[in-house]
Amino acid sequence: MENKELGRIRKNSYNLRGFKRAFVFILVAAVLVATGSVLAWQQVTSRLSQDARESIASAGRELAENFNYLLEAEFQILSSISVSLETPAVLNYKDRLVSYLERQNNRNLFDSTGYQAPDGTAWFSNGEQIKWFLSPQEVKTVYEQKRYMSAPRTDPFDNDDILVFAVPLKEGKETGVVFATHSVSFYRQTLTANLWQGNGIGIIMDKSGDIVLSAPKSSFGNIFDMAEDFVFDRGFSSAKIQEDISAGGDGLSGYSFNGEHRFASYYPLKFNQWYAFAVLPTAFVAQKALGLMVMAWLICFSVIAVLVVFIVFILRMQHQNGRALYQMGFVDALTQADNLNAFHFKYAAAVESFKQKGVPFALVVVNINRFKAVNDIYGFEEGDKILKQVAHALQEGLQEGELFCRSSADEFLLLLACPGRTDLALRLDNVAQRAGRFCQADGKCMPLSLACGVYVVDEDVPFYIMVDRAKLALSSARQRAGAVYAFYDEEFRRRIVAEKNIESHMEDALQNEEFKIYLQPKCNFETGQVESAEALVRWEQPGKGLIAPDHFIPVFEKNGFILKLDWFMFKRTLSLLKQWQEAGLEVVPVGINFSRLHLDEPNFVEELSRLADEYGVEHRLLEAELTESVVFGNTVVMKRFVDDLHAKGFSVAMDDFGSGYSSLNVLKNLDFDCIKLDKEFLMCEESNSRMRVIISGLVSMIKGLNSRIVAEGVETPEQAQFLQSIGCDLAQGYLFHKPLLPQDFAKLLRPVKKNKRK
Ligand code: C2E
Ligand code: CA
Ligand code: CA
């Protein structure tokens, strides 16, 4: 089941949203670029058409200026020839005239140069003579206007089209004219040159619109006649051009002709009232715009492409980072299962689904027993393998809608359906069995045990409280040897409440002397004579009666209060011993239970000794009872502790021998004065004859260590008989005496014999 929120987080961190965003971004960018391109296209076209108009206007002007410059140059040359001809030495001798003309002609670009006398005889530089080459009308114009240029006409010698230039020989006098001819094709070249790289058309026309010269191909006719077929743009017309031209002004026009749109500009020449007319097809402008657009598009798309690559790169990075972050935040690196965060995220939805289906559910904390020891002994690598195996076993058993995570080192959390306690217990047993054995690569196997704390969720409390409850149950499962699971239930809750109650009252109880000392005799099997005793605490809570130590000692062990209580009990013991001694009773040694926490108490032994001296009690009368679990694993510290006690003259007993980790090896190194057989031995004894064999074996071995043996929990004469027969020294049990009030115990003590007193 995928939790929505977690899914969202995963998607976020894996950046699907990033991809979507990027996709939208690219789409928007593409639309923007497309719209931008269209707008730019319009902008560029209109801008270019504006540019085209401007440059076509300047082209017309330039065309006119170039032409003017050219013609001016022609007239200059002609004038200088005319000046040089004025000398009578040339004019009067016609053969000299011709050779002179020929020389002059060779120096310039004219096709031919000539002189036409007032009688109409025209001499050419090529030696030819023609009558009235320039008509009398033309000659008249030359005299009047000082400069004359003809319309194109045919060369009299080679049928080429030519222009004829003429100036008077002498200004103000009708003494003939000097003329020159120049091929029209020469001017045609100048018409095309510089006009939009040959894309434009240059025309020279006269005032009436007749084409004088045109490029690139020669066409003749009248512009205004042609203009009848033009479709002019708004604001332009043929009439407008005619108007401009008749006024001697320049202008611009736009029109379509034969489906082609053009711009035209016209500008007056200095000669013959001719006009330069420049035409440019608009398609050329559009083509140029297209070129620019394509360029712009290419740039745009390159930018987008780079952007896309960049975004993809960034997203990839983000995706990878997101993955890493997700892994870090929600996945357990070792087992690849969910971690506590992920579990917590999924938790609410899973609980909701259980509730909807009406299925009871439970939060289970699972821990591997003594995993630290496994890690220490086999190393982290094997430890990791174990964790993976357990995680696998736990996950394998999951059913629809259930959750699992590794919450910390060797701790796992499960949210499981709990149709009934027995069902769930069975499932946990199965899992514990599946995960219960770990085999190393070399085939060596070790048993693994799991402890499970179960909280069957029965009220709406925050997640962390549920986890706390499951953990409390776990701690109780771990305390109970061999238990796989423990349920957090009413009984458990009561215990917790009771613990809290105990904790809140303990200090006051100590102050108010609610803790009472009881003494249980350790007796001779045969005579029943009290040989020694054990001090046992009882809590006499007002209104509640006597509370047995099993109810509060474990709590005090947990919170450390046991240290204070033990000292209190020790002092009470000392005070009683002192009291009895003073009353002339023959005191016996008394065993006092000391918690393992005293091992960490600095100066414990010194304090013990100081107090005993203060009360004037002989050290040999005091025996420290230490439980077996203290001994295990602390051999070095323990040995020093035992030795220190011995050095001060105290006795030391090992309590509850056989209840836990007894190792005779350990016993061998520690010099106990007394070994107390755990009462549990005797509880099994009746039903188990094998136990008798074990007990007798143990007793005979302990005997070899030179320690006294006290059997605890002796309740029947049969037990007493058996224990005595195998060599136990003393019996502590209900058969002889229950723990007694001090005054009752004192009654069992004999008065000191006279001789002893001395
Ligand atoms: P323990 O040191 O093993 O004490 C012996 C326990 O066995 C006592 O339980 C005693 O009442 C019980 N017992 C004696 N004879 C019999 C018998 O024939 N049958 C049965 N069933 N039980 C018998 P008690 O007094 O309830 O003490 C329980 C434990 O509490 C003690 O076990 C000891 O470990 C601890 N304890 C008691 N007083 C103190 C104390 O002052 N300081 C510390 N640290 N622990 C104490
Ligand atoms: Ca004891
Ligand atoms: Ca005991």
Side-chain angles (χ1 to χ4, degrees), residues 534 593 625 627 655-657 676-679 712 732:
E534 177 179 3
N593 293 288
E625 291 194 10
T627 48
D655 208 351
D656 302 338
F657 180 78
K676 295 183 78 181
L677 287 185
D678 193 39
K679 57 182 176 288
E712 281 188 325
Q732 182 182 347

Side-chain angles (χ1 to χ4, degrees), residues 268-397:
L269 295 185
K270 276 191 192 161
F271 302 95
N272 292 13
Q273 294 184 310
W274 286 359
Y275 262 82
F277 199 84
V279 181
L280 182 72
T282 321
F284 175 73
V285 179
Q287 217 172 358
K288 223 178 151 187
L290 187 69
L292 283 175
M293 281 309 295
V294 169
M295 188 100 122
W297 274 347
L298 274 178
I299 291 170
C300 277
F301 284 119
S302 317
V303 167
I304 288 183
V306 168
L307 218 65
V308 166
V309 169
F310 182 69
I311 287 171
V312 167
F313 175 74
I314 295 279
L315 285 179
R316 254 181 73 102
M317 294 262 293
Q318 269 192 346
H319 180 71
Q320 278 165 1
N321 288 348
R323 245 181 106 92
L325 274 179
Y326 182 86
Q327 289 276 335
M328 260 159 61
F330 297 102
V331 178
D332 172 48
L334 178 68
T335 59
Q336 292 304 311
D338 283 349
N339 67 8
L340 187 62
N341 278 341
F343 189 93
H344 194 183
F345 261 108
K346 293 178 179 180
Y347 182 80
V351 162
E352 203 44 51
S353 145
F354 276 127
K355 282 183 183 164
Q356 271 171 13
K357 289 183 208 154
V359 178
F361 54 95
L363 190 72
V364 183
V365 188
V366 179
N367 196 284
I368 304 171
N369 286 329
R370 275 181 294 211
F371 180 70
K372 194 184 168 301
V374 173
N375 244 352
D376 288 348
I377 297 167
Y378 298 99
F380 285 107
E381 216 171 293
E382 292 301 307
D384 283 354
K385 284 184 193 160
I386 290 172
L387 289 173
K388 282 188 208 172
Q389 177 186 307
V390 171
H392 182 73
L394 290 169
Q395 244 176 329
E396 211 177 36

Side-chain angles (χ1 to χ4, degrees), residues 516-518 520-521 534-538 547-554 557 562-563 565-570 591-596 598 625 627 655-656 676-680 682-683 711-716 719 732-739:
K516 307 288 176 196
I517 185 168
Y518 275 64
Q520 187 176 32
E534 177 179 3
L536 295 163
V537 69
R538 301 286 179 267
I547 306 172
D550 287 339
H551 288 96
F552 54 87
I553 297 281
E557 290 271 2
I562 192 68
L563 294 174
L565 182 67
D566 284 350
W567 283 116
F568 170 78
M569 287 294 286
F570 181 61
I592 303 104
N593 293 288
F594 283 107
S595 158
R596 62 185 169 83
H598 291 286
E625 291 194 10
T627 48
D655 208 351
D656 302 338
K676 295 183 78 181
L677 287 185
D678 193 39
K679 57 182 176 288
E680 299 293 323
L682 298 184
M683 303 204 161
E712 281 188 325
V714 187
E715 291 182 351
T716 64
Q719 289 171 342
Q732 182 182 347
Y734 297 167
L735 178 67
F736 298 89
H737 296 283
K738 289 200 166 182

Side-chain angles (χ1 to χ4, degrees), residues 452-471:
C452 310
V454 185
Y455 171 55
V456 181
V457 181
D458 54 359
E459 69 180 301
D460 256 338
V461 287
F463 177 70
Y464 71 92
I465 290 185
M466 296 189 189
V467 176
D468 271 358
R469 289 182 176 178
K471 280 190 179 175

Side-chain angles (χ1 to χ4, degrees), residues 563 567 570 594 597-612 640-641 644-645 648 650:
L563 294 174
W567 283 116
F570 181 61
F594 283 107
L597 299 186
H598 291 286
L599 281 181
D600 300 327
E601 232 177 7
N603 307 324
F604 170 77
V605 180
E606 281 72 24
E607 187 60 10
L608 219 60
S609 163
R610 192 190 65 76
L611 281 171
R640 199 179 316 135
F641 193 69
D644 286 354
L645 285 166
K648 293 282 182 190
F650 299 111

